Amino acid sequence: MTSSFSASSWSLSISDFCQRRPTLRGKRLVVGVAVFNASSQLLLLQRSANEDAYPLMYEIPGGHVEDDDESITHTIGRELKEETGLTLKRVVEEFEGFEYETSKGVTAQLNFMVELEEDELNVTINPEEHQAIARVSEMEIDGYPMTDAMRVVVTSAFRCQTGGPAS
């Protein structure tokens, strides 16, 4: 499902953002960033073999909201730059997220479709976190290992990208 929250809320301080979305209060926040190229292929990153959690699994770029992030938009841009070297132009839409529990508590992953400042073909990954990139069509996603939750996110991203219901 796409979010009923307006794009203006993504620019609020993290504290104000969470105040407007009570279900997020007290949870760790993570963003997922869906990047499509002109051929409607989604950018996926393969986690490094030495990652503690889900080694070798594919995922969309993303990461945790940090204390010094000014807003969700800031987090999206920072994580996109850190994980891919790409520069955020604008956040287009929020789509279906999910929650999971770790030893640090409940984490909520919020997912966003974005547009880039540059050509998506110039991806630079951090080899400590990721070891490969893939650009996949919706028909190809079953060929890439990923968690069940990430498979739902990827499927939702394609639905959102084509204008269909995201869940």
Side-chain angles (χ1 to χ4, degrees), residues 47-144:
R47 295 174 65 84
S48 293
N50 61 0
E51 281 286 325
D52 290 337
Y54 308 113
L56 303 176
M57 295 289 203
Y58 282 85
E59 63 188 0
I60 60 175
H64 288 94
V65 172
E66 295 181 0
D67 291 339
D68 58 348
D69 285 340
E70 298 167 10
S71 65
I72 292 295
T73 301
H74 181 262
T75 302
I76 295 165
R78 179 183 53 74
E79 285 293 342
L80 185 64
K81 182 62 91 173
E82 286 176 6
E83 294 206 349
T84 67
L86 300 171
T87 305
L88 175 69
K89 181 176 183 178
R90 74 181 187 101
V91 179
V92 176
E93 189 169 349
E94 183 176 355
F95 64 96
E96 183 174 353
F98 65 98
E99 292 186 0
Y100 56 96
E101 194 157 350
T102 69
S103 60
K104 296 179 182 180
V106 177
T107 299
Q109 179 166 324
L110 309 174
N111 296 304
F112 300 89
M113 185 166 313
V114 302
E115 288 180 1
L116 304 175
E117 286 290 348
E118 68 274 281
D119 183 353
E120 185 256 327
L121 298 175
N122 298 315
V123 175
T124 305
I125 56 174
N126 175 348
E128 292 178 16
E129 293 184 21
H130 297 100
Q131 67 181 34
I133 65 170
R135 293 172 189 84
V136 301
S137 70
E138 189 169 12
M139 302 285 289
E140 297 171 316
I141 60 175
D142 287 339
Y144 291 84

Side-chain angles (χ1 to χ4, degrees), residues 37-53:
N37 65 15
S39 300
S40 296
Q41 294 172 308
L42 179 64
L43 175 65
L44 296 178
L45 306 178
Q46 186 181 34
R47 295 174 65 84
S48 293
N50 61 0
E51 281 286 325
D52 290 337

Side-chain angles (χ1 to χ4, degrees), residues 4-37:
S4 61
F5 293 94
S6 70
S8 64
S9 70
W10 306 328
S11 297
L12 294 171
S13 70
I14 300 299
S15 174
D16 288 345
F17 179 82
C18 290
Q19 286 298 319
R20 292 195 181 192
R21 296 175 75 167
T23 59
L24 299 178
R25 290 186 201 143
K27 297 176 183 170
R28 296 179 74 221
L29 299 181
V30 171
V31 298
V33 186
V35 178
F36 286 91
N37 65 15

